[in-house]
Amino acid sequence: IPQPPSSGRSLSSQAPTVTLYQYTICPFCCKTKAFLGYVSQKYTTVEVNPLTKGELKQLSQTNPNNNNNNEKEYKKVPIAQINQTVVNGSDDIIRALLNEPSIQTTLQEHRWASSKSNMTLDQFATSNNNKWSQYATDELAPILYTNICTSLWQSYQAFQYVHSNPKFSFLQKHMISTVGSVAMFAAASKIKKKRGITNEREALHTCLKTFETDGLLINNHNTTFSSGLDVPDIGDIVMYGVLRSVEKSLSQSNKDEIFREGSALKVWYETMQKETSY
């Protein structure tokens, strides 16, 4: 969970150069991209082979400025290279970006300039929004995982994104889809057993209903954002990014069930799409 930005300023207010190492369907990568979109930060992505993780090994070997020097090789995504510094994990990436003067300027002088809520950097990154940031990580992400892996075939379908990526060879594409789908299905089965989930769709509906009721319908009053203000905060961005990760993996009928016409959740989701341009 991001902490309040430090009061320190770097010597340059120029926008940083950001390269994001990712899996397309990783909820924490999507959470990071939602934040990058909200702060209008340009970035490039490097799709990581989930079987070999060769891109991460190369990054670790070629860049000594890793912010987690206690770890010889970080094997998860997302990883971001911000200028010459490598930052591991979505929360640390967002925290590092919030300390960039150019991003602070974007938020204070552009995003919040016309806001009536007087949003501050501290308020944006802390307070009640931490509740929904944690909820997205601890509850929504694992439940979404089980929903895109209800069968081996659906797990295989979740990897279809690799087939449109020219960086992977024909053999790599089919190895990732085949081996990866088995691994995903097995992991989803463990999550269901651990959480006692017997109906994945029902678990997802319950999870999102909690967010809609407690986050968007506060005291039976519909609020556009879970921040309760006229602008989103980290909680909104993280919840949206995690949910966005499965948009292409769920059928249209499933999405229609989740985003009921006229519901607070649907209005919020569509508004967050516009806010983040993602």
Side-chain angles (χ1 to χ4, degrees):
I1 299 172
Q3 299 300 313
S6 68
S7 58
R9 291 286 191 273
S10 67
L11 295 177
S12 173
S13 61
Q14 183 177 355
T17 300
V18 178
T19 302
L20 187 69
Y21 290 75
Q22 65 156 20
Y23 304 146
T24 294
I25 58 175
C26 164
F28 306 110
C29 300
C30 293
K31 149 187 167 180
T32 305
K33 289 186 285 187
F35 174 81
L36 287 163
Y38 183 69
V39 299
S40 303
Q41 170 62 49
K42 294 181 179 180
Y43 63 97
T44 57
T45 59
V46 175
E47 194 67 37
V48 176
N49 184 321
L51 300 185
T52 66
K53 298 183 174 68
E55 297 81 1
L56 303 186
K57 294 175 183 177
Q58 183 178 10
L59 177 65
S60 178
Q61 292 168 359
T62 58
N63 198 307
N65 297 319
N66 193 309
N67 78 329
N68 285 327
N69 291 324
N70 60 314
E71 299 182 42
K72 291 183 179 179
E73 190 177 304
Y74 189 77
K75 298 181 180 180
K76 299 179 181 180
V77 291
I79 295 177
Q81 183 166 358
I82 304 173
N83 294 326
Q84 298 304 312
T85 301
V86 175
V87 185
N88 301 335
S90 56
D91 288 338
D92 283 346
I93 292 169
I94 292 174
R95 185 179 298 115
L97 290 169
L98 276 173
N99 280 320
E100 289 287 336
S102 63
I103 288 177
Q104 293 183 4
T105 298
T106 295
L107 290 172
Q108 294 171 318
E109 298 182 10
H110 300 283
R111 278 292 180 187
W112 306 332
S114 59
S115 170
K116 299 178 181 179
S117 57
N118 298 316
M119 177 70 84
T120 66
L121 289 168
D122 284 352
Q123 187 179 10
F124 177 73
T126 57
S127 189
N128 188 54
N129 46 51
N130 278 351
K131 169 185 176 181
W132 296 116
S133 296
Q134 201 64 44
Y135 187 77
T137 300
D138 296 344
E139 300 296 329
L140 180 59
I143 291 174
L144 284 173
Y145 194 87
T146 66
N147 273 264
I148 63 171
C149 303
T150 58
S151 65
L152 272 173
W153 172 247
Q154 192 180 28
S155 298
Y156 181 84
Q157 290 294 106
F159 278 103
Q160 289 307 294
Y161 72 89
V162 302
H163 291 273
S164 61
N165 193 315
K167 72 167 286 184
F168 296 124
S169 68
F170 176 83
L171 180 60
Q172 285 177 320
K173 291 175 181 178
H174 285 276
M175 283 294 292
I176 292 170
S177 297
T178 303
V179 178
S181 62
V182 173
M184 278 186 70
F185 182 70
S189 297
K190 289 182 179 179
I191 292 173
K192 288 192 287 185
K193 183 177 180 180
K194 180 180 179 181
R195 291 175 170 265
I197 296 174
T198 56
N199 186 315
E200 302 92 343
R201 293 288 186 265
E202 184 178 314
L204 179 57
H205 284 299
T206 300
C207 179
L208 292 175
K209 186 64 177 178
T210 297
F211 172 67
E212 184 176 44
T213 302
D214 297 346
L216 302 177
L217 297 173
I218 303 171
N219 297 323
N220 294 319
H221 176 67
N222 192 351
T223 62
T224 303
F225 305 108
S226 67
S227 65
L229 306 174
D230 60 348
V231 291
D233 57 23
I234 280 292
D236 289 293
I237 292 169
V238 172
M239 281 291 296
Y240 170 74
V242 170
L243 189 53
R244 174 71 168 78
S245 68
V246 300
E247 186 170 290
K248 294 183 179 180
S249 300
L250 295 176
S251 67
Q252 187 59 50
S253 61
N254 287 331
K255 286 186 280 190
D256 289 342
E257 289 177 10
I258 293 169
F259 303 110
R260 305 177 315 282
E261 194 63 39
S263 68
L265 184 67
K266 181 179 175 66
V267 171
W268 167 83
Y269 190 82
E270 292 177 344
T271 303
M272 288 303 300
Q273 281 184 313
K274 296 175 183 177
E275 289 285 332
T276 62
S277 300
Y278 172 58

